[in-house]
Amino acid sequence: MEMSLSLRQSPMLELRQALESSLEQSLMVRHELQMAMVLYQKREDVCTRLYKNALKKGMVKQYARHDMQFEFALVRKKDVPEWIWKDCGHAFSHCLMKGWDCFFFGSKYAMARGSWLLFVIHDFHREPMPDSAVGYAAVHERGEMVTLGDHNLASKLEFSIAAKESKLKWYIEWIKQTCPEKFADIFSYQTHFVLPEGEELRQTLEVFQASKEARKVKQLIEEFEWPLTLLKLLKQYDDANRQALGIILDMFLMAGDVAIKANVSVIQTVEHIKAVFQRGFSEMTSQDLKRYLSIVRLEGRWKDQRNELGNKFSEMLTRREKLLGIDRYLRELDAARVTNSLPTDGILSPDFREVLRYI
């Protein structure tokens, strides 16, 4: 008797492959946002200042567990530039391109080219971060160092350590309550930053890559298998952000069609555009998508689309002026309470964080 065998992948494998595919697709988007060298140097100046201040205040802490041993600085949110914490959340790291000597702290704190500075913003959230969460955030940044900035693998390391300490369930719940957008980011982009090119820096980094600690970290990453429950959660957040992005792109497509026409008054055009956005946000609300949204993942796309919409609106204003004549056109602008551009507040703001307040 012949047997018909149906080969099917396990749910865990299917989820992991779907998320890894999502990661690959997002690399091109993330590539567009990579830091230029000037910004990297600016970042270095900020990070060295933050680290020196943390040393003065005794806020550089030691981590020595699971065959890892490193230092990280605890810093306050108000001392960290917004453009850093907006992109990185409550922890970030930096690989020194120049290097510096903190002579008044002794040779122990001489930082060489290729060294890494690790930071955790301990007051980033409404409630102070528990010690365990601080440790996992620091471990993540150590993982970024070992993997040369790979956010996905660094996330795998921190969850691996949480599992080893029997705190994985607690950590997942803490993230849910405190920073749920983290779940959407894990498979959404590759790195927080791009390391500057240079043979000297590359050779320096490779020395650490061959160290005993780096080999142990890589082992911890390789040995950790995403639990099915966590994969399901990550997939849920990934799907919600994809769905939200689809709604956002549709909103801008329809709003763009409204903006390019010059056959109604400016005030009517603005109101029609706002109505498009209000319908889109109502759809997101009805599908309960807001709580899943990743600002890091969506704000770049929002800004690009919003700029394009503004350009279409400006082109329409030029045609409208020619159609009406300068006097009627200026009266129409005054009635609409706009000058020569689309309003930049509320749901029409180029700042996605501001827009979220109105959803």
Side-chain angles (χ1 to χ4, degrees):
M1 185 168 111
E2 295 184 3
M3 294 186 70
S4 173
L5 296 178
S6 175
L7 298 179
R8 184 177 179 277
Q9 292 178 331
S10 70
M12 184 181 297
L13 183 58
E14 288 178 348
L15 283 172
R16 190 183 70 199
Q17 289 178 339
L19 288 165
E20 287 175 346
S21 175
S22 166
L23 171 63
E24 292 173 0
Q25 293 170 11
S26 68
L27 290 181
M28 293 185 64
V29 174
R30 191 63 187 174
H31 180 71
E32 297 173 358
L33 303 175
Q34 293 174 342
M35 291 183 180
M37 184 60 72
V38 159
L39 182 55
Y40 193 90
Q41 190 58 65
K42 179 181 178 183
R43 195 180 199 271
E44 181 150 312
D45 293 340
V46 169
C47 289
T48 52
R49 173 179 55 78
L50 286 172
Y51 206 85
K52 287 177 181 179
N53 288 339
L55 283 168
K56 290 179 182 178
K57 297 174 182 177
M59 296 300 284
V60 171
K61 306 301 179 181
Q62 299 283 336
Y63 184 97
R65 295 197 293 273
H66 309 290
D67 294 323
M68 287 183 283
Q69 188 166 350
F70 59 89
E71 294 178 345
F72 64 94
L74 285 175
V75 294
R76 297 175 300 180
K77 185 178 181 180
K78 73 179 187 65
D79 296 327
V80 180
E82 184 177 358
W83 54 271
I84 290 183
W85 60 253
K86 267 190 174 183
D87 192 46
C88 301
H90 60 237
F92 59 99
S93 52
H94 184 88
C95 181
L96 291 173
M97 190 176 73
K98 292 188 306 181
W100 53 280
D101 291 308
C102 196
F103 64 90
F104 45 85
F105 285 104
S107 59
K108 177 183 177 183
Y109 295 108
M111 299 296 178
R113 179 180 171 88
S115 297
W116 287 70
L117 306 179
L118 313 182
F119 301 89
V120 177
I121 306 175
H122 59 87
D123 63 347
F124 188 84
H125 307 289
R126 292 179 182 177
E127 299 294 331
M129 291 178 66
D131 290 343
S132 292
V134 168
Y136 299 146
V139 164
H140 177 102
E141 297 311 313
R142 190 63 163 178
E144 295 251 7
M145 174 181 173
V146 173
T147 63
L148 299 184
D150 192 311
H151 179 76
N152 175 256
L153 293 180
S155 298
K156 196 176 181 185
L157 174 65
E158 69 178 296
F159 283 105
S160 172
I161 296 302
K164 280 187 172 296
E165 296 180 349
S166 301
K167 290 187 175 181
L168 183 58
K169 184 177 180 180
W170 171 86
Y171 192 41
I172 290 172
E173 288 302 316
W174 181 82
I175 293 172
K176 278 184 181 180
Q177 298 299 321
T178 309
C179 47
E181 65 277 3
K182 180 178 177 66
F183 292 130
D185 295 340
I186 291 174
F187 282 89
S188 301
Y189 59 92
Q190 181 78 358
T191 62
H192 281 145
F193 55 87
V194 174
L195 294 172
E197 295 182 2
E199 184 64 19
E200 180 184 350
L201 179 59
R202 184 187 65 79
Q203 291 177 353
T204 303
L205 293 172
E206 286 179 351
V207 170
F208 180 77
Q209 298 305 301
S211 70
K212 181 179 179 181
E213 180 183 339
R215 290 196 301 270
K216 178 60 179 179
V217 168
K218 291 174 183 176
Q219 181 184 344
L220 287 168
I221 293 172
E222 291 170 359
E223 290 178 348
F224 180 71
E225 289 292 335
W226 295 106
L228 181 57
T229 53
L230 182 54
L231 281 174
K232 286 181 177 179
L233 187 64
L234 297 177
K235 185 69 163 58
Q236 182 181 13
Y237 275 78
D238 184 63
D239 288 345
N241 277 269
R242 286 175 174 275
Q243 192 174 353
L245 179 59
I247 293 173
I248 288 172
L249 294 178
D250 286 343
M251 286 161 49
F252 277 108
L253 181 63
M254 290 184 284
D257 289 341
V258 173
I260 61 177
K261 298 174 183 177
N263 57 352
V264 296
S265 70
V266 173
I267 192 170
Q268 287 175 305
T269 298
V270 173
E271 291 305 314
H272 289 168
I273 290 174
K274 285 183 177 179
V276 168
F277 281 80
Q278 286 165 347
R279 287 196 299 271
F281 289 136
S282 294
E283 182 181 354
M284 291 173 64
T285 299
S286 67
Q287 297 183 37
D288 194 27
L289 297 179
K290 182 179 178 180
R291 64 194 180 101
Y292 296 102
L293 297 185
S294 165
I295 295 176
V296 170
R297 185 169 179 176
L298 297 176
E299 66 179 345
R301 301 298 297 275
W302 176 273
K303 184 177 181 179
D304 291 343
Q305 293 291 319
R306 178 60 182 78
N307 288 340
E308 185 177 337
L309 178 63
N311 292 336
K312 291 179 179 178
F313 186 80
S314 295
E315 292 170 6
M316 180 276 293
L317 290 179
T318 301
R319 294 195 300 274
R320 191 74 182 160
E321 180 182 354
K322 292 179 180 178
L323 180 67
L324 297 178
I326 187 63
D327 291 336
R328 288 178 60 197
Y329 172 71
L330 290 176
R331 286 197 297 271
E332 194 170 280
L333 281 186
D334 184 60
R337 295 184 179 180
V338 300
T339 52
N340 59 349
S341 64
L342 196 62
T344 57
D345 58 344
I347 58 176
L348 297 181
S349 172
D351 185 348
F352 188 60
R353 292 173 187 269
E354 179 182 343
V355 172
L356 286 178
R357 297 204 297 265
Y358 297 89
I359 300 180

